[in-house]
Coordinates of all heavy atoms in Angstrom, one line a residue:
M1 N 125.9 -81.7 17.3 CA 124.9 -81.2 16.3 C 125.3 -79.8 15.8 O 125.2 -79.5 14.6 CB 123.4 -81.2 16.9 CG 122.5 -80.8 15.9 SD 120.8 -81.2 16.3 CE 120.4 -80.0 17.7
S2 N 125.7 -79.0 16.7 CA 126.1 -77.6 16.3 C 127.2 -77.6 15.4 O 127.3 -76.8 14.4 CB 126.3 -76.8 17.6 OG 126.4 -75.4 17.2
A3 N 128.2 -78.5 15.5 CA 129.3 -78.6 14.6 C 128.9 -78.9 13.2 O 129.4 -78.4 12.3 CB 130.4 -79.6 15.2
A4 N 128.0 -79.9 13.2 CA 127.5 -80.3 11.9 C 126.7 -79.2 11.1 O 126.8 -79.0 10.0 CB 126.6 -81.6 12.0
Y5 N 125.9 -78.5 12.0 CA 125.2 -77.3 11.5 C 126.2 -76.3 10.9 O 126.0 -75.7 9.8 CB 124.3 -76.8 12.6 CG 123.5 -75.7 12.2 CD1 122.2 -75.8 11.8 CD2 123.9 -74.4 12.5 CE1 121.5 -74.7 11.4 CE2 123.2 -73.2 12.2 CZ 121.8 -73.4 11.6 OH 121.1 -72.3 11.3
A6 N 127.1 -76.0 11.7 CA 128.2 -75.1 11.4 C 128.9 -75.3 10.0 O 129.1 -74.5 9.3 CB 129.2 -74.8 12.4
A7 N 129.2 -76.7 9.8 CA 129.7 -77.0 8.5 C 128.8 -76.7 7.4 O 129.3 -76.5 6.3 CB 130.0 -78.6 8.6
A8 N 127.5 -76.7 7.5 CA 126.6 -76.4 6.5 C 126.4 -74.9 6.4 O 126.1 -74.4 5.2 CB 125.2 -77.1 6.8
F9 N 126.3 -74.2 7.6 CA 125.9 -72.8 7.5 C 127.0 -71.8 7.8 O 126.8 -70.6 7.8 CB 124.7 -72.5 8.4 CG 123.5 -73.3 7.8 CD1 123.0 -74.5 8.4 CD2 122.8 -72.8 6.7 CE1 121.9 -75.1 7.8 CE2 121.7 -73.4 6.2 CZ 121.2 -74.6 6.7
G10 N 128.2 -72.3 8.3 CA 129.3 -71.4 8.6 C 129.1 -70.8 10.0 O 129.9 -69.8 10.3
G11 N 128.3 -71.3 10.7 CA 128.2 -70.8 12.2 C 127.4 -71.8 13.1 O 126.7 -72.5 12.6
P12 N 127.6 -71.5 14.3 CA 126.9 -72.6 15.2 C 125.5 -72.2 15.3 O 125.0 -71.2 14.9 CB 127.6 -72.5 16.6 CG 128.2 -71.0 16.5 CD 128.6 -70.8 15.1
I13 N 124.7 -73.3 15.8 CA 123.3 -73.2 16.1 C 123.0 -72.0 17.1 O 123.7 -71.9 18.1 CB 122.6 -74.5 16.5 CG1 122.7 -75.5 15.4 CG2 121.2 -74.2 17.2 CD1 122.2 -76.9 15.8
C14 N 122.1 -71.1 16.8 CA 121.7 -70.1 17.7 C 120.7 -70.5 18.6 O 119.7 -71.1 18.3 CB 121.2 -69.0 16.7 SG 120.2 -67.6 17.6
I15 N 120.9 -70.3 19.9 CA 120.0 -70.7 20.9 C 119.4 -69.6 21.7 O 120.1 -68.7 22.2 CB 120.7 -71.6 21.9 CG1 121.3 -72.9 21.3 CG2 119.7 -71.9 23.0 CD1 122.1 -73.8 22.1
T16 N 118.1 -69.5 21.6 CA 117.4 -68.3 22.3 C 117.3 -68.6 23.8 O 117.4 -67.8 24.7 CB 116.0 -68.1 21.8 OG1 116.1 -68.0 20.3 CG2 115.3 -66.9 22.3
D17 N 116.9 -69.9 24.0 CA 116.5 -70.2 25.4 C 116.7 -71.7 25.6 O 116.4 -72.5 24.7 CB 115.0 -70.0 25.5 CG 114.5 -69.7 26.9 OD1 115.4 -69.9 27.9 OD2 113.3 -69.4 27.1
S18 N 117.2 -72.1 26.7 CA 117.4 -73.6 27.0 C 116.7 -74.0 28.4 O 115.6 -74.0 28.5 CB 118.8 -73.9 26.8 OG 119.6 -73.1 27.7
Y19 N 117.6 -74.1 29.3 CA 117.2 -74.5 30.6 C 116.4 -73.4 31.3 O 117.0 -72.2 31.3 CB 118.2 -75.0 31.6 CG 117.9 -75.3 32.9 CD1 117.1 -76.5 33.2 CD2 118.2 -74.4 34.0 CE1 116.7 -76.7 34.6 CE2 117.8 -74.7 35.2 CZ 117.1 -75.8 35.6 OH 116.6 -76.0 36.8
R20 N 115.2 -73.6 31.9 CA 114.6 -72.7 32.7 C 114.3 -73.1 34.0 O 113.8 -74.2 34.2 CB 113.1 -72.3 32.0 CG 113.2 -71.5 30.8 CD 111.8 -71.4 30.2 NE 111.8 -71.0 28.8 CZ 110.9 -71.4 27.9 NH1 109.9 -72.0 28.3 NH2 111.0 -71.0 26.6
T21 N 114.7 -72.2 35.0 CA 114.4 -72.7 36.3 C 112.9 -72.6 36.6 O 112.2 -72.0 35.8 CB 115.1 -71.6 37.3 OG1 114.5 -70.4 37.2 CG2 116.6 -71.5 37.0
Y22 N 112.5 -73.2 37.7 CA 111.1 -73.2 38.0 C 110.7 -71.7 38.1 O 109.6 -71.3 37.6 CB 110.8 -73.9 39.3 CG 109.4 -73.9 39.7 CD1 108.5 -74.9 38.9 CD2 108.8 -73.1 40.6 CE1 107.2 -74.9 39.2 CE2 107.4 -73.2 40.8 CZ 106.6 -74.0 40.1 OH 105.3 -74.1 40.4
A23 N 111.5 -70.8 38.8 CA 111.0 -69.5 39.0 C 110.9 -68.7 37.7 O 109.9 -68.0 37.4 CB 112.1 -68.7 39.8
S24 N 111.7 -69.0 36.7 CA 111.6 -68.4 35.4 C 110.4 -68.9 34.6 O 109.8 -68.2 33.9 CB 112.9 -68.4 34.5 OG 113.1 -69.7 34.1
Q25 N 110.0 -70.2 34.8 CA 108.9 -70.8 34.2 C 107.7 -70.0 34.8 O 106.7 -69.7 34.0 CB 108.7 -72.3 34.6 CG 109.7 -73.1 33.9 CD 109.6 -74.6 34.3 OE1 108.5 -75.1 34.3 NE2 110.7 -75.2 34.7
V26 N 107.6 -69.8 36.0 CA 106.5 -69.1 36.6 C 106.3 -67.6 36.0 O 105.3 -67.1 35.7 CB 106.5 -68.9 38.2 CG1 105.6 -68.1 38.7 CG2 106.5 -70.3 38.8
T27 N 107.5 -66.9 36.0 CA 107.4 -65.7 35.3 C 107.1 -65.6 34.0 O 106.2 -64.9 33.6 CB 109.0 -65.0 35.4 OG1 109.4 -65.0 36.7 CG2 109.0 -63.6 34.9
L28 N 107.5 -66.5 33.2 CA 107.2 -66.6 31.7 C 105.7 -66.9 31.6 O 105.0 -66.3 30.8 CB 108.0 -67.7 31.0 CG 107.9 -67.7 29.5 CD1 108.5 -66.4 28.9 CD2 108.7 -68.9 28.9
Y29 N 105.2 -67.8 32.4 CA 103.7 -68.3 32.2 C 102.9 -67.1 32.6 O 101.8 -67.0 32.1 CB 103.6 -69.5 33.2 CG 102.2 -70.0 33.0 CD1 101.8 -70.7 31.9 CD2 101.2 -69.9 34.0 CE1 100.6 -71.4 31.7 CE2 99.9 -70.4 33.8 CZ 99.6 -71.1 32.7 OH 98.4 -71.7 32.5
G30 N 103.3 -66.3 33.6 CA 102.7 -65.0 33.9 C 102.6 -64.0 32.9 O 101.6 -63.4 32.6
E31 N 103.7 -64.0 32.0 CA 103.7 -63.0 30.9 C 103.0 -63.6 29.7 O 102.5 -62.8 28.9 CB 105.2 -62.6 30.6 CG 105.8 -61.8 31.8 CD 107.4 -61.8 31.6 OE1 108.0 -62.5 30.7 OE2 108.1 -61.0 32.4
K32 N 103.2 -64.8 29.3 CA 102.8 -65.4 28.1 C 102.1 -66.7 28.3 O 102.6 -67.7 27.9 CB 104.1 -65.6 27.2 CG 104.7 -64.3 26.8 CD 105.7 -64.4 25.7 CE 107.0 -65.1 26.2 NZ 108.1 -65.0 25.1
P33 N 101.0 -66.6 29.0 CA 100.4 -68.0 29.3 C 99.9 -68.9 28.0 O 99.9 -70.0 28.1 CB 99.1 -67.6 30.1 CG 98.9 -66.1 29.7 CD 100.3 -65.5 29.5
A34 N 99.7 -68.1 26.9 CA 99.4 -68.9 25.7 C 100.5 -69.6 25.1 O 100.3 -70.7 24.5 CB 98.7 -68.0 24.7
L35 N 101.6 -69.2 25.4 CA 103.0 -69.7 24.8 C 103.7 -70.6 25.7 O 104.2 -71.6 25.3 CB 103.9 -68.6 24.2 CG 103.6 -68.1 22.9 CD1 104.6 -67.0 22.6 CD2 103.8 -69.2 21.8
A36 N 103.7 -70.3 27.0 CA 104.6 -71.1 27.9 C 103.8 -72.3 28.6 O 102.5 -72.2 28.7 CB 105.0 -70.1 29.0
A37 N 104.5 -73.2 28.9 CA 103.9 -74.3 29.5 C 103.5 -73.9 31.0 O 104.1 -73.2 31.6 CB 105.0 -75.6 29.6
V38 N 102.7 -74.8 31.5 CA 102.2 -74.6 32.9 C 103.5 -74.9 33.7 O 104.2 -75.8 33.5 CB 101.2 -75.5 33.4 CG1 100.9 -75.4 34.9 CG2 99.8 -75.2 32.5
P39 N 103.8 -74.0 34.8 CA 105.1 -74.1 35.5 C 105.2 -75.6 36.1 O 104.1 -76.1 36.6 CB 104.9 -73.1 36.6 CG 104.2 -72.0 36.0 CD 103.1 -72.7 35.2
G40 N 106.4 -76.1 36.0 CA 106.6 -77.6 36.4 C 106.5 -78.5 35.3 O 106.9 -79.7 35.6
T41 N 105.8 -78.2 34.3 CA 105.6 -79.2 33.2 C 106.4 -79.0 32.0 O 106.5 -79.7 31.0 CB 104.1 -79.2 32.8 OG1 103.8 -77.9 32.0 CG2 103.2 -79.4 33.9
S42 N 107.2 -77.8 31.9 CA 107.9 -77.5 30.7 C 109.1 -78.4 30.5 O 109.8 -78.7 31.5 CB 108.5 -76.0 30.8 OG 109.4 -75.8 29.8
N43 N 109.3 -78.9 29.3 CA 110.6 -79.6 29.0 C 111.8 -78.8 29.2 O 112.9 -79.3 29.4 CB 110.5 -80.1 27.6 CG 109.8 -81.6 27.6 OD1 109.9 -82.4 28.5 ND2 109.1 -81.8 26.6
H44 N 111.6 -77.4 29.2 CA 112.8 -76.6 29.4 C 113.2 -76.7 30.8 O 114.4 -76.7 31.2 CB 112.3 -75.2 29.2 CG 112.2 -74.8 27.7 ND1 113.3 -74.6 26.9 CD2 111.1 -74.5 27.0 CE1 112.9 -74.4 25.8 NE2 111.6 -74.2 25.7
G45 N 112.3 -77.2 31.7 CA 112.5 -77.3 33.2 C 113.3 -78.5 33.4 O 114.1 -78.6 34.5
W46 N 113.3 -79.5 32.5 CA 114.1 -80.7 32.6 C 115.5 -80.7 31.9 O 116.2 -81.6 31.8 CB 113.3 -81.9 32.0 CG 111.9 -82.1 32.7 CD1 110.8 -81.9 32.1 CD2 111.7 -82.4 34.1 NE1 109.8 -82.2 33.0 CE2 110.2 -82.5 34.2 CE3 112.4 -82.6 35.2 CZ2 109.6 -82.7 35.4 CZ3 111.8 -82.9 36.4 CH2 110.5 -82.9 36.5
G47 N 115.6 -79.5 31.2 CA 116.9 -79.3 30.4 C 116.9 -80.0 29.1 O 117.9 -80.4 28.7
L48 N 115.6 -80.4 28.7 CA 115.5 -81.3 27.5 C 115.1 -80.5 26.2 O 114.9 -81.1 25.3 CB 114.5 -82.4 27.8 CG 115.0 -83.4 28.9 CD1 113.9 -84.4 29.2 CD2 116.3 -84.2 28.4
A49 N 114.8 -79.2 26.4 CA 114.2 -78.5 25.3 C 115.1 -77.2 25.1 O 115.6 -76.6 25.9 CB 112.8 -78.0 25.6
V50 N 115.1 -76.9 23.8 CA 115.9 -75.7 23.4 C 115.0 -74.9 22.4 O 114.2 -75.5 21.6 CB 117.2 -76.0 22.8 CG1 118.2 -76.5 23.8 CG2 117.1 -77.0 21.6
D51 N 115.1 -73.6 22.5 CA 114.4 -72.7 21.5 C 115.6 -72.2 20.8 O 116.5 -71.5 21.2 CB 113.7 -71.6 22.3 CG 112.4 -72.1 22.9 OD1 112.1 -73.3 22.7 OD2 111.8 -71.4 23.8
L52 N 115.4 -72.4 19.3 CA 116.6 -72.0 18.5 C 116.2 -70.8 17.6 O 115.1 -70.5 17.4 CB 116.9 -73.2 17.5 CG 117.2 -74.5 18.6 CD1 117.4 -75.7 17.5 CD2 118.4 -74.3 19.3
C53 N 117.2 -70.2 17.0 CA 117.1 -69.0 16.2 C 118.0 -69.2 15.0 O 118.3 -70.3 14.5 CB 117.3 -67.8 17.0 SG 118.6 -67.9 18.2
G54 N 118.4 -68.0 14.4 CA 119.2 -68.0 13.2 C 118.6 -68.5 12.0 O 119.3 -68.9 11.0
G55 N 117.3 -68.6 11.9 CA 116.6 -69.1 10.8 C 115.8 -70.4 11.1 O 114.6 -70.5 10.5
I56 N 116.2 -71.1 12.2 CA 115.4 -72.2 12.5 C 114.1 -71.9 13.1 O 113.2 -72.7 13.0 CB 116.3 -73.0 13.6 CG1 117.6 -73.5 13.0 CG2 115.5 -74.2 14.2 CD1 118.6 -74.2 14.0
Q57 N 113.9 -70.7 13.6 CA 112.7 -70.3 14.2 C 111.6 -70.1 13.2 O 110.5 -69.7 13.6 CB 112.9 -69.1 15.1 CG 113.1 -67.7 14.3 CD 114.3 -67.4 13.6 OE1 115.2 -68.3 13.6 NE2 114.4 -66.3 13.0
T58 N 111.8 -70.2 11.9 CA 110.8 -70.1 10.9 C 110.6 -71.3 10.0 O 111.6 -71.8 9.5 CB 111.2 -68.9 10.0 OG1 111.5 -67.8 10.8 CG2 110.1 -68.5 9.0
F59 N 109.4 -71.8 9.9 CA 109.2 -72.9 9.1 C 109.5 -72.6 7.6 O 109.3 -71.5 7.3 CB 107.7 -73.4 9.1 CG 107.2 -73.9 10.3 CD1 106.1 -73.4 11.0 CD2 107.7 -75.0 10.9 CE1 105.7 -73.8 12.3 CE2 107.2 -75.6 12.1 CZ 106.1 -74.9 12.8
G60 N 110.2 -73.5 6.9 CA 110.5 -73.4 5.5 C 111.7 -72.8 5.2 O 112.2 -72.7 4.0
T61 N 112.6 -72.4 6.1 CA 113.9 -71.9 5.9 C 114.9 -73.0 5.6 O 114.6 -74.2 6.1 CB 114.4 -71.0 7.0 OG1 114.5 -71.9 8.2 CG2 113.5 -69.9 7.3
P62 N 116.0 -72.8 5.1 CA 117.1 -73.7 4.8 C 117.5 -74.4 6.2 O 117.9 -75.5 6.4 CB 118.2 -73.1 4.0 CG 117.6 -71.8 3.4 CD 116.4 -71.5 4.3
Q63 N 117.6 -73.3 7.2 CA 118.0 -73.8 8.6 C 117.1 -74.7 9.2 O 117.4 -75.7 9.8 CB 118.3 -72.5 9.4 CG 119.4 -71.6 9.0 CD 119.0 -70.6 7.8 OE1 118.0 -70.6 7.4 NE2 120.1 -70.0 7.4
Y64 N 115.8 -74.4 9.0 CA 114.7 -75.3 9.6 C 114.8 -76.6 8.9 O 114.7 -77.7 9.5 CB 113.3 -74.6 9.4 CG 112.3 -75.5 10.1 CD1 112.1 -75.4 11.5 CD2 111.5 -76.4 9.4 CE1 111.2 -76.3 12.1 CE2 110.7 -77.3 9.9 CZ 110.3 -77.2 11.3 OH 109.5 -78.0 12.0
A65 N 114.9 -76.7 7.5 CA 114.9 -77.9 6.8 C 116.1 -78.7 7.2 O 116.0 -80.0 7.3 CB 115.0 -77.6 5.3
W66 N 117.2 -78.1 7.6 CA 118.4 -78.8 8.0 C 118.2 -79.5 9.3 O 118.5 -80.7 9.5 CB 119.7 -77.8 8.1 CG 120.9 -78.7 8.4 CD1 121.8 -79.1 7.6 CD2 121.3 -79.0 9.7 NE1 122.9 -79.8 8.1 CE2 122.5 -79.7 9.5 CE3 120.9 -78.9 11.1 CZ2 123.3 -80.3 10.5 CZ3 121.6 -79.4 12.0 CH2 122.9 -80.1 11.8
M67 N 117.5 -78.8 10.2 CA 117.1 -79.5 11.5 C 116.2 -80.6 11.2 O 116.4 -81.7 11.8 CB 116.5 -78.4 12.3 CG 117.4 -77.5 12.9 SD 118.6 -78.2 14.1 CE 117.5 -78.7 15.5
V68 N 115.3 -80.4 10.3 CA 114.3 -81.6 10.1 C 115.1 -82.8 9.6 O 114.8 -84.0 10.0 CB 113.1 -81.1 9.0 CG1 112.4 -82.4 8.7 CG2 112.3 -80.2 9.7
A69 N 116.0 -82.5 8.6 CA 116.8 -83.6 8.1 C 117.8 -84.3 8.9 O 118.2 -85.4 8.8 CB 117.5 -83.1 6.8
N70 N 118.3 -83.5 9.9 CA 119.5 -83.9 10.7 C 119.3 -84.1 12.2 O 120.1 -84.7 12.9 CB 120.6 -83.0 10.4 CG 121.2 -83.0 9.0 OD1 121.9 -83.9 8.6 ND2 120.8 -82.0 8.2
A71 N 118.4 -83.4 12.7 CA 118.3 -83.4 14.2 C 118.1 -84.7 14.8 O 118.7 -85.1 15.9 CB 117.1 -82.5 14.7
G72 N 117.4 -85.7 14.1 CA 117.2 -87.0 14.6 C 118.5 -87.8 14.8 O 118.6 -88.6 15.7
R73 N 119.5 -87.6 14.0 CA 120.7 -88.2 14.1 C 121.4 -87.9 15.4 O 122.3 -88.5 16.0 CB 121.7 -87.6 13.0 CG 121.4 -88.2 11.6 CD 122.7 -88.0 10.7 NE 122.9 -86.6 10.2 CZ 124.1 -86.1 10.3 NH1 125.1 -86.7 10.8 NH2 124.2 -84.8 9.9
F74 N 121.1 -86.7 16.0 CA 121.7 -86.3 17.2 C 120.6 -86.4 18.4 O 120.9 -85.9 19.6 CB 122.1 -84.8 17.2 CG 123.1 -84.6 16.1 CD1 122.6 -84.1 14.8 CD2 124.5 -84.9 16.2 CE1 123.6 -84.0 13.7 CE2 125.3 -84.7 15.2 CZ 124.9 -84.3 13.9
G75 N 119.7 -87.1 18.2 CA 118.5 -87.4 19.3 C 117.6 -86.2 19.5 O 116.9 -86.3 20.5
F76 N 117.6 -85.3 18.6 CA 116.6 -84.2 18.8 C 115.5 -84.4 17.8 O 115.5 -85.0 16.8 CB 117.3 -82.9 18.5 CG 118.1 -82.3 19.7 CD1 119.4 -82.7 19.8 CD2 117.5 -81.4 20.5 CE1 120.2 -82.3 20.9 CE2 118.2 -80.9 21.6 CZ 119.6 -81.3 21.7
L77 N 114.3 -83.9 18.3 CA 113.0 -84.0 17.5 C 112.2 -82.7 17.7 O 112.4 -82.0 18.6 CB 112.2 -85.2 17.9 CG 111.7 -85.3 19.3 CD1 110.5 -84.5 19.5 CD2 111.4 -86.8 19.7
H78 N 111.4 -82.5 16.6 CA 110.4 -81.4 16.8 C 109.1 -81.9 17.1 O 108.6 -82.8 16.4 CB 110.3 -80.6 15.4 CG 109.6 -79.4 15.5 ND1 108.4 -79.2 14.9 CD2 109.9 -78.2 16.1 CE1 107.9 -78.0 15.1 NE2 108.9 -77.4 15.9
P79 N 108.6 -81.6 18.4 CA 107.4 -82.3 18.8 C 106.2 -81.9 17.9 O 106.1 -80.8 17.4 CB 107.3 -81.7 20.3 CG 108.0 -80.4 20.2 CD 109.2 -80.6 19.3
T80 N 105.3 -82.9 17.8 CA 104.2 -82.9 16.9 C 103.3 -81.7 17.2 O 102.8 -81.1 16.3 CB 103.3 -84.2 17.0 OG1 104.2 -85.3 16.8 CG2 102.3 -84.2 16.1
W81 N 103.1 -81.4 18.6 CA 102.3 -80.3 19.0 C 102.8 -79.0 18.4 O 101.9 -78.0 18.3 CB 102.0 -80.2 20.5 CG 103.3 -80.0 21.3 CD1 104.0 -80.9 22.0 CD2 104.1 -78.8 21.5 NE1 105.1 -80.6 22.6 CE2 105.2 -79.2 22.3 CE3 103.9 -77.6 21.1 CZ2 106.1 -78.2 22.7 CZ3 105.0 -76.5 21.5 CH2 105.9 -77.0 22.3
A82 N 104.0 -78.9 18.1 CA 104.5 -77.6 17.6 C 104.7 -77.5 16.0 O 105.2 -76.6 15.5 CB 105.9 -77.5 18.2
D83 N 104.3 -78.6 15.4 CA 104.3 -78.6 14.0 C 103.2 -77.7 13.4 O 102.2 -77.3 14.1 CB 104.0 -80.0 13.5 CG 105.3 -80.9 13.5 OD1 106.4 -80.3 13.6 OD2 105.1 -82.1 13.6
P84 N 103.2 -77.4 12.1 CA 102.3 -76.4 11.5 C 101.0 -77.2 11.6 O 100.8 -78.3 11.4 CB 102.8 -76.4 10.0 CG 104.2 -76.8 10.0 CD 104.4 -77.7 11.2
G85 N 100.0 -76.2 12.0 CA 98.5 -76.7 11.9 C 98.1 -77.4 13.2 O 97.0 -77.9 13.2
N86 N 99.0 -77.5 14.2 CA 98.6 -78.2 15.4 C 98.2 -77.3 16.5 O 98.3 -77.7 17.7 CB 99.7 -79.3 15.8 CG 99.7 -80.4 14.9 OD1 98.6 -80.6 14.1 ND2 100.7 -81.2 14.8
G87 N 98.0 -76.1 16.2 CA 97.4 -75.2 17.3 C 98.4 -74.3 17.9 O 98.2 -73.2 18.2
R88 N 99.6 -74.9 18.1 CA 100.6 -74.0 18.9 C 102.0 -74.1 18.1 O 102.8 -74.9 18.4 CB 100.8 -74.4 20.3 CG 100.9 -73.3 21.2 CD 101.1 -73.8 22.7 NE 102.4 -74.0 23.1 CZ 102.8 -74.6 24.3 NH1 101.9 -75.2 25.0 NH2 104.1 -74.8 24.6
E89 N 102.1 -73.4 17.0 CA 103.2 -73.7 16.1 C 104.5 -73.0 16.7 O 104.6 -71.8 16.9 CB 103.0 -73.0 14.7 CG 101.7 -73.7 14.1 CD 101.5 -73.0 12.8 OE1 102.1 -72.2 12.3 OE2 100.4 -73.5 12.1
E90 N 105.5 -73.8 16.9 CA 106.7 -73.3 17.5 C 107.9 -74.0 16.8 O 108.5 -74.9 17.2 CB 106.9 -73.6 19.0 CG 105.9 -72.9 19.8 CD 106.1 -73.0 21.4 OE1 107.3 -73.4 21.7 OE2 105.3 -72.5 22.1
P91 N 108.3 -73.4 15.6 CA 109.3 -74.0 14.8 C 110.6 -74.0 15.6 O 111.4 -74.8 15.3 CB 109.3 -73.1 13.5 CG 108.6 -71.9 13.7 CD 107.5 -72.3 14.8
W92 N 110.7 -73.0 16.5 CA 112.0 -72.9 17.2 C 112.3 -73.9 18.2 O 113.3 -74.1 18.8 CB 112.1 -71.5 17.8 CG 110.9 -71.2 18.6 CD1 110.8 -71.5 20.0 CD2 109.8 -70.5 18.3 NE1 109.6 -71.2 20.5 CE2 108.8 -70.5 19.4 CE3 109.3 -70.0 17.1 CZ2 107.7 -69.9 19.4 CZ3 108.0 -69.4 17.1 CH2 107.1 -69.4 18.3
H93 N 111.2 -74.5 18.7 CA 111.2 -75.5 19.9 C 111.6 -76.9 19.5 O 110.9 -77.5 18.8 CB 110.0 -75.4 20.6 CG 109.8 -76.2 21.9 ND1 110.1 -75.7 23.1 CD2 109.6 -77.5 22.0 CE1 109.9 -76.6 23.9 NE2 109.7 -77.8 23.3
W94 N 112.7 -77.4 20.0 CA 113.1 -78.7 19.7 C 113.6 -79.3 21.1 O 113.9 -78.7 22.0 CB 114.5 -78.7 18.9 CG 114.2 -78.2 17.5 CD1 113.8 -76.9 17.1 CD2 114.0 -79.0 16.3 NE1 113.6 -76.9 15.8 CE2 113.6 -78.2 15.2 CE3 114.2 -80.4 16.1 CZ2 113.4 -78.6 14.0 CZ3 114.0 -80.9 14.8 CH2 113.6 -79.9 13.8
E95 N 113.3 -80.7 21.0 CA 113.4 -81.4 22.3 C 114.5 -82.6 22.2 O 114.4 -83.2 21.1 CB 112.1 -82.0 22.8 CG 111.2 -80.9 23.2 CD 109.8 -81.4 23.7 OE1 109.5 -82.6 23.7 OE2 108.9 -80.5 24.1
Y96 N 115.2 -82.7 23.2 CA 116.2 -83.9 23.2 C 115.4 -85.2 23.6 O 114.8 -85.2 24.8 CB 117.3 -83.6 24.1 CG 118.5 -84.7 24.0 CD1 119.2 -84.9 22.8 CD2 118.5 -85.6 25.0 CE1 120.1 -85.8 22.7 CE2 119.5 -86.6 25.0 CZ 120.3 -86.7 23.8 OH 121.1 -87.7 23.6
A97 N 115.4 -86.2 22.8 CA 114.7 -87.3 23.1 C 115.6 -88.6 23.3 O 115.1 -89.8 23.4 CB 113.7 -87.7 22.0
G98 N 116.9 -88.4 23.2 CA 117.9 -89.4 23.3 C 118.0 -90.1 22.0 O 117.4 -89.6 21.0
S99 N 118.8 -91.0 21.8 CA 119.0 -91.7 20.5 C 118.6 -93.1 20.5 O 118.4 -93.7 21.5 CB 120.4 -91.4 20.0 OG 121.3 -91.8 21.0
Ligands
ZN28 ZN1 110.5 -73.9 23.8

């Protein structure tokens, strides 16, 4: 997916955060309980979620639009709970759902 993205934007997908150990989930939840998942339940803990940057982290950017248009081809999706208007907007958070 990153290679296809690079063909469009001239650089690879920027990743803020991917796999989180259980210990780091506990730490993050302690610091940001409103944003982080309850420890043990995060998709980051299963290695299935990534937090992206480089423009993808903002709704409405060309980079975000590219993800919406193309992520599905690579088995990635933007979860409904993180969509605009669903209470916890996280444009940067994408999950691998298989293909
Ligand atoms: Zn995330």
Side-chain angles (χ1 to χ4, degrees):
M1 180 163 70
S2 191
Y5 179 92
F9 293 105
I13 290 177
C14 163
I15 299 177
T16 309
D17 204 355
S18 54
Y19 175 71
R20 284 180 200 146
T21 63
Y22 184 77
S24 72
Q25 290 176 47
V26 170
T27 302
L28 188 68
Y29 189 68
E31 290 168 356
K32 297 190 280 188
L35 272 179
V38 174
T41 68
S42 170
N43 273 323
H44 286 286
W46 305 114
L48 295 175
V50 287
D51 289 343
L52 304 177
C53 37
I56 297 170
Q57 79 283 5
T58 307
F59 291 122
T61 61
Q63 291 83 1
Y64 183 83
W66 187 93
M67 285 296 291
V68 170
N70 293 283
R73 285 197 287 135
F74 302 96
F76 280 82
L77 58 81
H78 191 249
T80 305
W81 59 258
D83 282 340
N86 286 341
R88 220 178 94 190
E89 301 181 0
E90 294 194 8
W92 56 84
H93 181 98
W94 291 75
E95 294 181 357
Y96 185 71
S99 51

